[in-house]
Amino acid sequence: MELVELQNVTIISERFLKDDIIDIIKKNSAKGYTLTDVSGEGSRGIRASEWEGKNVKIETVVSSSSADRIIQAISDHYFENYAVIAYTQTVNVVRGDKYI
Amino acid sequence: MELVELQNVTIISERFLKDDIIDIIKKNSAKGYTLTDVSGEGSRGIRASEWEGKNVKIETVVSSSSADRIIQAISDHYFENYAVIAYTQTVNVVRGDKYI
Amino acid sequence: MELVELQNVTIISERFLKDDIIDIIKKNSAKGYTLTDVSGEGSRGIRASEWEGKNVKIETVVSSSSADRIIQAISDHYFENYAVIAYTQTVNVVRGDKYI
Amino acid sequence: MESILSNFSSPVVLAFVLGIASKFVKSDLEFPRPLYQSISIYLLLAIGLKGGVELSKTTFSVFLLPATATLALGIITPLTAFVIIRYIRKLDMSNSAGLAAHYGSVSMVTFLVAISFMEDKGMQPEGYMPTLLALLEIPGIIVALMIPIAVSKNVASLGKALHEVVTGSSIFLLIGGVIIGYIAGPEKFGPVSPFFVSGFQGALFLFLLELGMTTASRFRDLKKVGAFIIFFGVFVPILHAVLAIYFGYWAGLSTAGITVLATMTSSASYIAAPAAVRIALPKASPSIYLTASLGITFPFNITLGIPLYYYLTVLITG
Amino acid sequence: MESILSNFSSPVVLAFVLGIASKFVKSDLEFPRPLYQSISIYLLLAIGLKGGVELSKTTFSVFLLPATATLALGIITPLTAFVIIRYIRKLDMSNSAGLAAHYGSVSMVTFLVAISFMEDKGMQPEGYMPTLLALLEIPGIIVALMIPIAVSKNVASLGKALHEVVTGSSIFLLIGGVIIGYIAGPEKFGPVSPFFVSGFQGALFLFLLELGMTTASRFRDLKKVGAFIIFFGVFVPILHAVLAIYFGYWAGLSTAGITVLATMTSSASYIAAPAAVRIALPKASPSIYLTASLGITFPFNITLGIPLYYYLTVLITG
Amino acid sequence: MESILSNFSSPVVLAFVLGIASKFVKSDLEFPRPLYQSISIYLLLAIGLKGGVELSKTTFSVFLLPATATLALGIITPLTAFVIIRYIRKLDMSNSAGLAAHYGSVSMVTFLVAISFMEDKGMQPEGYMPTLLALLEIPGIIVALMIPIAVSKNVASLGKALHEVVTGSSIFLLIGGVIIGYIAGPEKFGPVSPFFVSGFQGALFLFLLELGMTTASRFRDLKKVGAFIIFFGVFVPILHAVLAIYFGYWAGLSTAGITVLATMTSSASYIAAPAAVRIALPKASPSIYLTASLGITFPFNITLGIPLYYYLTVLITG
Ligand SMILES: Nc1ncnc2c1ncn2[C@@H]1O[C@H](COP(=O)(O)O)[C@@H](O)[C@H]1O
Ligand SMILES: Nc1ncnc2c1ncn2[C@@H]1O[C@H](COP(=O)(O)O)[C@@H](O)[C@H]1O
Ligand SMILES: Nc1ncnc2c1ncn2[C@@H]1O[C@H](COP(=O)(O)O)[C@@H](O)[C@H]1O
Ligand code: NA
Ligand code: NA
Ligand code: NA
């Protein structure tokens, strides 16, 4: 079973940024993404989204070049004003070529 | 605190495959698994499960040999017809021997 | 985009341990955490939390030293009597210095 | 004609329109999935219980002919649908059988809208209609899934699919409700009825709001599936309705009963069938069968179809 | 005897059976957890409010004896349960105390089924029964958790467990409802009552459907826990019921009141107790105490137990 | 005075207090988010439908003056709020505009509590009040978001924020309900009404329980935001209420109508506004505007404010 080494980009943010972040991901040639409802606490403490109840976790498996571009875009747009955390992990993906 | 290096196998698929995939996991000597309700979009775009609302994410921490067998089985059974993504990550597990 | 290499500590446990585990995490200088409702099965099989429906997954991105201390504390307090799994992964975090 | 207009001013239909609108104005309105699930559990049990209580007052003989007619329709309609799509449109076997399964089965909500349409007109369909609904839901799917086998094309895990069909939550709750209502009877059902009866129309209102939202998100696929599917989604229901009108007439149903039977026969499943087809015919494309049943037939039926079927019923039977 | 049969044709009991059936036919029916939570919030508030409104009409003196009897039962029953399991079955301390906590506390739903059983018979239990329910829920758990300490065995975070017991959502909503109902009184409660009164039986119906499903998933553990636990889950409730009948008789309750008191005393908690025991006695195995309370005692009580306790009440008091 | 006391013994207010209490005793009570969402959908549709049906009976001319008065209030109140916070407290632009948006908009629940307060007194406000609620919800937010631009300070994605405001689920459901109610009219609305009318007060009861819990979790920020914000959260509502009383009087509303108008004008949004402000003014701190609107103004209004506004109305208009 040949596994392809790719990057899993994880972004956790306030819910209302969801659609914008998905746009960014798609623009950077991600073939798909997975959303999870999460909640959490961070440096910014209480925030509007706390009232709306939840944050959202967005994961996308992409090539490391796309990963860089996504990360770059996210941090340019959101880090100053919004509640966001983003990180990447190396994953070994089945039929990984499908996601490049 | 001795941590054991194991594989965390992640499978995201249409909800109705859940039970079958869990069977496969158990058959390949996984000691446990964790399910998360997720939603997402992929190459296959819209699908029945979209109507049923959600995909499911199945994670299981196993030895790398089990990981290989699980990955193999998943890709044999489901990749052709169903909406599935599967990947593995290296994790350092507390009392890891418990999961081998 | 400079990414900082940190540890993502994942703890999956019975729901009612949530607050205690969050305390432990905060005591060990985590800057934040993310919660996900999950369900699952493990070596201990059926348990009260099954009746309460769900387990909880707690993820926190921290320095590897904090990671060690958290892991240590978790395994000291809970492994004997409660349904818990804990593992760490290396992640590359945007503005990672924020979480140290 | 004016019954079409009056149908458009019925709250449940307007709720459906509102749901569609919410998608077009891109409102952030979200309908919580657990609410959707809860309402379907509620509606299915309510229909079943009410039907069961009625059944406990019905003599079996009265019920025999309508039941036969319904079963017959359950076996014929998937075949007509299949023939049309497979030999006129020449769609591949999986997709053709998949569509057939949907048009052989029923849509509970369409059934309910038909009933409140008749009640608006001050007519009561027979009390055992819910039982006919249950009779009509299953056979069509099974027949359709058999076709590929009949022509010796292997079907992925048919057994699993059949189990899914007969134990699927919708049919389970519907039949379960009928049985409970039948055993309990009118008196015992008394204390429970306020909950299931007076709240009913309101729950249906919310449910149609949600279906409007889901339907709207189907519209974007209309282009993808092409003109024939759209034609199919309107023509086949009318065909099946006419068929049902004759059968219902033969079975001696009332005008209201015939109209409701026609409506449920013309309706296409979007819950039981998709689940079963996804399992048995994974190669069939959901965007085809869901767009047809949910994006075309469902909205057509609850807006224009029902008044039309009522009109045809009066025309044919009167 | 015939009251057993009639009990079996009551919709709520049938809903419970339907829930069990859904697991046996492996239906994909799923009961959304938020619906389950919502209904428990609803039921607890409804009981509390109704009880509080009634209480506002009751003179304290009338209420004194029944309250005393109930508290006494709350202290005695965990001890009887403990003695039986610890010294006859020789189960270890943690599991014995854990079980005792469950049988010392109560099951709200069993209480409700008992009330509608009496109402079916045209008898009204005293209006302050819900207040007795609240009185009976807590002490049993506390007493049981004290036992291990009494015999100098350390208990994991007892304080936390006690806090959990007295602030647990079920007791909080029940007492909160009583207080609100008491302050508001009949007139002020008027506008809110349709929601909490007319919907009640229906909500209970849905709740029992869910409990049937949960109970069924407990059955698979019956073998695991062994014959004695099964015997325990039937015998102890009857024992506690008989005890309660005498106490209730002494306190001057009506036949309906005694039957309901007997039922709630015999019932075993599966919400408040498990949560507290999990915290205070982590070594106690959930599969033992949940299987006993939810897999054995609960189904026994709502099907055979309640008619039996009614029968015994009439026998003893009449 | 006694109307304050009587207000404190109203079930909905007591439910709010119970919700606050649950946080103070650290109960593990959790209010499922889907239930919260479902109830808001229900309440908004119920208000809208009821209002629309009433509107279908109202002649436009009657409605003209009240509508004008309401729109005027929608434009004035955000400005008064802004001036006070920006030039007296000297808060930065983002936070000032953010707060202004909240106090320019409305809180649906406060509106509802005011209505049931009047009904308790046996007075019926005008049937078209819900329409005024809809008119008052939007303009205030827009005006407030314009301020930073007016003083040439760029606003993050204003377009997106405006879209959010006018298509936000609350306003969408409210207006949608009004339209449906208006088209359907009394007869057609008949079958749906039991669900939306008789369940209403109960749903409101549950909703206030939840809001009590949310409010309580806001209290911990009271220190953080400081004394002026607390003063602001009490003074500005009273100011706006007095303004509204004169406007309502001028528009010829009934005493009940004026009191309700005053209450909704004084209320601060905690759903539409936060969402829009978060998008348009990300630098504005949620702990300031949510604590003010939800932690101070909301509890003040439903406990002391409404009786006060009623008292002032009688004083000024009588
Ligand atoms: N160190 C962390 N580990 C895991 N998740 C975090 C961490 N810090 C923040 N988060 C998540 O990111 C969201 C925004 O964090 P912040 O921007 O720091 O307020 C929080 O609500 C958490 O869900
Ligand atoms: N590149 C990706 N990254 C993360 N999740 C994905 C990705 N591609 C697909 N998925 C998930 O896998 C499911 C099935 O994808 P597909 O089989 O490509 O339609 C989607 O609904 C997503 O939840
Ligand atoms: N091997 C595993 N892989 C993934 N999750 C696991 C595994 N084992 C246990 N878990 C999770 O940890 C919880 C407690 O496991 P246990 O303590 O083994 O009963 C389970 O309910 C699962 O959610
Ligand atoms: Na059909
Ligand atoms: Na008991
Ligand atoms: Na305002």
Side-chain angles (χ1 to χ4, degrees), chain E residues 52-241:
Chain E
V53 171
E54 292 301 327
L55 207 60
S56 68
K57 308 184 203 153
T58 318
T59 58
F60 182 67
S61 58
V62 178
F63 177 65
L64 195 57
L65 281 186
T68 322
T70 307
L71 279 176
L73 288 165
I75 293 164
I76 298 168
T77 53
L79 298 175
T80 52
F82 178 79
V83 168
I84 291 170
I85 195 69
R86 179 90 174 108
Y87 299 108
I88 299 181
R89 173 66 171 74
K90 305 243 176 305
L91 209 60
D92 64 90
M93 174 56 80
S94 292
N95 279 306
S96 303
L99 265 173
H102 286 69
Y103 286 82
S105 184
V106 297
S107 144
M108 170 198 48
V109 178
T110 314
F111 167 83
L112 292 176
V113 176
I115 289 195
S116 50
F117 175 84
M118 293 318 303
E119 287 171 344
D120 266 13
K121 294 216 165 313
M123 302 179 179
Q124 270 299 342
E126 284 74 0
Y128 50 73
M129 294 313 285
T131 322
L132 299 187
L133 181 72
L135 284 179
L136 191 53
E137 187 167 13
I138 295 181
I141 302 179
I142 297 179
V143 170
L145 297 186
M146 291 307 177
I147 300 170
I149 307 174
V151 297
S152 77
K153 200 174 147 311
N154 82 316
V155 166
S157 51
L158 179 74
K160 203 177 159 225
L162 291 188
H163 177 270
E164 168 67 37
V165 176
V166 292
T167 67
S169 51
S170 61
I171 195 69
F172 181 84
L173 288 170
L174 190 56
I175 292 179
V178 169
I179 295 171
I180 293 180
Y182 186 85
I183 298 177
E187 310 74 27
K188 290 265 182 185
F189 183 62
V192 191
S193 62
F195 179 78
F196 283 111
V197 174
S198 59
F200 193 81
Q201 289 294 327
L204 185 56
F205 182 95
L206 290 182
F207 207 63
L208 275 157
L209 176 65
E210 200 279 343
L211 280 171
M213 295 168 69
T214 318
T215 301
S217 53
R218 280 284 146 207
F219 286 160
R220 62 179 137 87
D221 284 14
L222 285 183
K223 274 178 269 27
K224 215 195 281 179
V225 298
F228 187 86
I229 294 294
I230 299 176
F231 160 78
F232 178 92
V234 173
F235 171 74
V236 168
I238 299 178
L239 177 72
H240 287 171

Side-chain angles (χ1 to χ4, degrees), chain A residues 41-72:
Chain A
E41 219 181 284
S43 58
R44 287 183 196 67
I46 292 165
R47 72 179 63 81
S49 62
E50 181 199 56
W51 162 255
E52 294 145 25
K54 286 189 163 299
N55 293 340
V56 63
K57 177 199 255 184
I58 305 173
E59 290 172 293
T60 182
V61 173
V62 292
S63 66
S64 50
S65 67
S66 306
D68 294 344
R69 293 199 306 279
I70 293 171
I71 287 289
Q72 188 64 60

Side-chain angles (χ1 to χ4, degrees), chain F residues 165-179:
Chain F
V165 177
V166 292
T167 67
S169 51
S170 60
I171 196 67
F172 181 84
L173 288 169
L174 191 56
I175 293 180
V178 169
I179 294 172

